[in-house]
Amino acid sequence: MSLQMIKTFIEYHIDMTRRVWELIDRITDEQFLADDVYSRGSIRNLMVHLVSTDRRWLSGLKNGPDVGHLKFEDYPTRIAARELFDAVAKDFSNYTNVATEEELNQKPPEFTHPRWAVLLHLVNHGTDHRSTVLQKLTELGAPTFDQDFIIWLWSRK
């Protein structure tokens, strides 16, 4: 897998998630925390789950310990959850900016696939959960956007 391709997909993943956060700023705290029967529940839960998954896999990609999943209730506000995202996004960007193609083609200990496959999984996982959040935001009257990868590429001309 091409190093540049992986870096581009991770940049897309982080940028799309950042754009979702910009829309989340348009809803109330009550709407952010409102429970829902689908998926992880509230928008807060979905966004914390998304970043928790990125954080956990990233630790493994760096041969670190299993850091486990974060608890939703530890992030009671949009500000706390957004700060978590910002920190993990920075760590994620730093990781991919220094990764080599050789490293991305290696399997970390206890992994069944190379690092590049895990990174693509995280991009796909993010698209799934962002779609759910975007649907919920639409229901709340917030504007949304198209998160197609090709449209994102075209916007970067």
Side-chain angles (χ1 to χ4, degrees):
M1 180 64 62
S2 156
L3 178 60
Q4 186 55 49
M5 184 184 306
I6 291 297
K7 287 180 178 186
T8 301
F9 272 112
I10 297 305
E11 184 181 345
Y12 157 79
H13 171 63
I14 292 169
D15 189 43
M16 289 293 103
T17 306
R18 189 170 283 119
R19 288 186 65 193
V20 169
W21 273 111
E22 290 168 5
L23 298 176
I24 289 171
D25 286 340
R26 297 176 180 227
I27 63 173
T28 67
D29 290 332
E30 293 77 21
Q31 292 169 324
F32 180 65
L33 296 172
D35 197 21
D36 190 306
V37 296
Y38 183 73
S39 188
R40 304 283 183 223
S42 67
I43 292 173
R44 183 265 319 258
N45 291 4
L46 282 160
M47 297 306 287
V48 170
H49 167 74
L50 178 59
V51 73
S52 178
T53 301
D54 285 353
R55 175 182 162 271
R56 188 175 188 195
W57 279 104
L58 187 57
S59 180
L61 291 171
K62 294 173 7 179
N63 299 322
D66 183 349
V67 295
H69 287 290
L70 298 169
K71 295 179 182 174
F72 304 136
E73 57 273 7
D74 289 344
Y75 303 90
T77 65
R78 286 180 288 179
I79 292 170
R82 175 65 190 262
E83 287 174 352
L84 171 67
F85 162 73
D86 288 337
V88 172
K90 182 178 179 182
D91 193 26
F92 213 162
S93 289
N94 290 342
Y95 173 77
T96 56
N97 284 336
V98 300
T100 65
E101 194 152 346
E102 179 183 349
E103 181 182 1
L104 292 180
N105 284 311
Q106 295 171 347
K107 291 190 293 185
E110 300 183 26
F111 279 45
T112 57
H113 291 83
R115 286 178 173 89
W116 68 262
V118 173
L119 291 168
L120 286 183
H121 159 70
L122 293 174
V123 173
N124 188 56
H125 178 257
T127 301
D128 175 41
H129 289 300
R130 284 190 306 270
S131 293
T132 302
V133 171
L134 288 170
Q135 174 63 38
K136 290 180 181 202
L137 289 170
T138 298
E139 292 169 4
L140 295 171
T144 61
F145 59 90
D146 192 333
Q147 64 170 333
D148 284 354
F149 177 71
I150 195 67
I151 292 172
W152 177 81
L153 282 176
W154 291 337
S155 73
R156 300 176 69 219
K157 293 180 191 180

